[in-house]
Amino acid sequence: MEENNNLTAERSLEIIRKSIEQSRRDMVKNAGSPLIAWGILVALTAWLVGLLVKHTGTPFWYFLWFPMMFLGFGINHYINKRFHVRPRSIIGDIVGYVWLSFGIISMAIPLVMYTAKHWAWHYFSQQYAPDEILKMPIIHFPVTTVIVIMLGLCTTITGFVLKDNWIKAGGIMAAIGGAVLATIYGQQNMQVISFVAVVGLLVPGIIMNLKYRKA
Amino acid sequence: MFKPLDPLLHSELRLATISLLISVEEAEFPYIKEQTGATAGNLSVQIDKLSAAGYIEVEKTFKGRRPCTICRITSAGLRAFEDYVEALRSYLEVKS
């Protein structure tokens, strides 16, 4: 593009229209890639954890979620770096902050609950006799259910921000999957998480990328 | 009556640059260069002109070890763009 000062009104409007359309397209181009990466990662981890817990009988394998989260943040960082020339927009920022909040909270909740559970067990076992502890009211906090419902919520918000009905539907289905999770225990629990990761992350991510690449 | 067109915006490259920045919060120099198809030297000169007029804000920073130039539209730039579009409309209304 040269420095041409003899523009007609039509040519000026054409430049404005093209430029605005282009920047709007680029703002959301590849915006679905982090969702795809997280969807694959969560679905595979849930499947792997379910399989290992079933075959070994030890809940130790649930700790695999922590390295998975660090791996996910690493992949996210790589994706952001790779598409660094994408312009920054309020839409991209909102979607980014929604998922960053989800990442922080979904990592903090299991850590805090696990620490609190062990601290409480240690404290009460020193203060009370075992039969007294067994009589105490115990509140079960469904960590996985809460995280999966949050995931559905974040996907639905993303759908509203990007004005995409498929993503909104995926988010609502994922949140319902979270509610179903509250009634399921054991290995099927991990199968529901795999399903939610596919419906709430992978599919919306693919839809977003296809939609904005075509645009 | 025709409204006067802002001479600073009435240039292909400067108008394209402002139009790209209108719907984003900020954009890096390579992105604007890629979208406008301008040479780095020419774009740099036009960006300096827009910045001197207070239409855009230019931030020179580093991304890792690489230098990075980030451009943002200012409220003065936004007003000037709105006035420019308004002036264009008066031209088109007379034509039609």
Side-chain angles (χ1 to χ4, degrees), chain A residues 30-42 75-76 79 95 98-99 102 151 154-156 158-159 162 167 197-209:
Chain A
N30 295 310
S33 301
L35 292 189
I36 295 172
W38 279 105
I40 294 170
L41 213 54
V42 172
I75 293 171
N76 219 26
I79 291 169
V95 173
V98 164
W99 285 100
F102 170 76
L151 187 147
C154 291
T155 306
T156 313
T158 305
L162 297 172
I167 301 173
V198 171
V199 171
L201 290 168
L202 186 61
V203 173
I206 293 170
I207 291 171
M208 275 162 79
N209 274 4

Side-chain angles (χ1 to χ4, degrees), chain B:
Chain B
M1 186 67 188
F2 291 136
K3 288 183 180 173
L5 286 168
D6 186 341
L8 206 68
L9 292 185
H10 200 58
S11 131
E12 275 202 41
L13 189 46
R14 290 194 292 268
L15 184 60
T17 304
I18 282 281
S19 305
L20 279 174
L21 293 174
I22 211 91
S23 46
V24 299
E25 260 187 65
E26 58 184 41
E28 291 175 21
F29 185 87
Y31 173 76
I32 303 171
K33 182 174 163 282
E34 189 186 306
Q35 297 309 321
T36 56
T39 61
N42 190 10
L43 181 61
S44 190
V45 170
Q46 305 314 323
I47 280 179
D48 281 347
K49 284 183 186 173
L50 290 169
S51 169
Y55 288 2
I56 64 168
E57 205 178 78
V58 179
E59 185 191 339
K60 290 188 189 291
T61 178
F62 283 89
K63 211 167 193 179
R65 286 179 188 172
R66 277 187 312 115
C68 174
T69 304
I70 298 168
C71 301
R72 288 181 205 94
I73 194 162
T74 62
S75 48
L78 199 63
R79 235 182 354 259
F81 182 79
E82 283 169 356
D83 291 342
Y84 183 82
V85 173
E86 196 57 41
L88 276 183
R89 194 177 290 169
S90 70
Y91 279 81
L92 291 168
E93 274 167 7
V94 168
K95 272 190 175 181
S96 60

Side-chain angles (χ1 to χ4, degrees), chain A residues 1-13 15-27 29 80-81 83-91 93, chain B residues 7 9-17 19-20 22-28 30-31 34-39 42 46 49 63 66 81 84-85 88 91-92 95:
Chain A
M1 197 173 275
E2 298 300 317
E3 201 204 343
N4 175 11
N5 295 343
N6 299 316
L7 297 173
T8 62
E10 287 83 2
R11 175 69 186 138
S12 293
L13 279 179
I15 292 171
I16 294 169
R17 187 188 61 78
K18 268 191 178 171
S19 303
I20 292 177
E21 271 179 8
Q22 185 64 44
S23 60
R24 286 203 172 149
R25 255 200 314 267
D26 290 339
M27 274 182 325
K29 198 172 162 188
N80 285 339
K81 244 185 138 181
F83 302 110
H84 70 284
V85 287
R86 194 181 68 195
R88 216 182 116 199
S89 68
I90 189 76
I91 294 173
D93 282 358
Chain B
L9 292 185
H10 200 58
S11 131
E12 275 202 41
L13 189 46
R14 290 194 292 268
L15 184 60
T17 304
S19 305
L20 279 174
I22 211 91
S23 46
V24 299
E25 260 187 65
E26 58 184 41
E28 291 175 21
Y31 173 76
E34 189 186 306
Q35 297 309 321
T36 56
T39 61
N42 190 10
Q46 305 314 323
K49 284 183 186 173
K63 211 167 193 179
R66 277 187 312 115
F81 182 79
Y84 183 82
V85 173
L88 276 183
Y91 279 81
L92 291 168
K95 272 190 175 181

Side-chain angles (χ1 to χ4, degrees), chain A residues 34 37-38 41-42 65-81 96-108 111:
Chain A
W38 279 105
L41 213 54
V42 172
W65 287 107
F66 292 105
M68 184 228 71
M69 282 189 182
F70 285 110
L71 184 64
F73 283 124
I75 293 171
N76 219 26
H77 180 69
Y78 169 77
I79 291 169
N80 285 339
K81 244 185 138 181
Y97 291 140
V98 164
W99 285 100
L100 180 66
S101 310
F102 170 76
I104 293 169
I105 296 170
S106 61
M107 220 168 151
L111 266 178

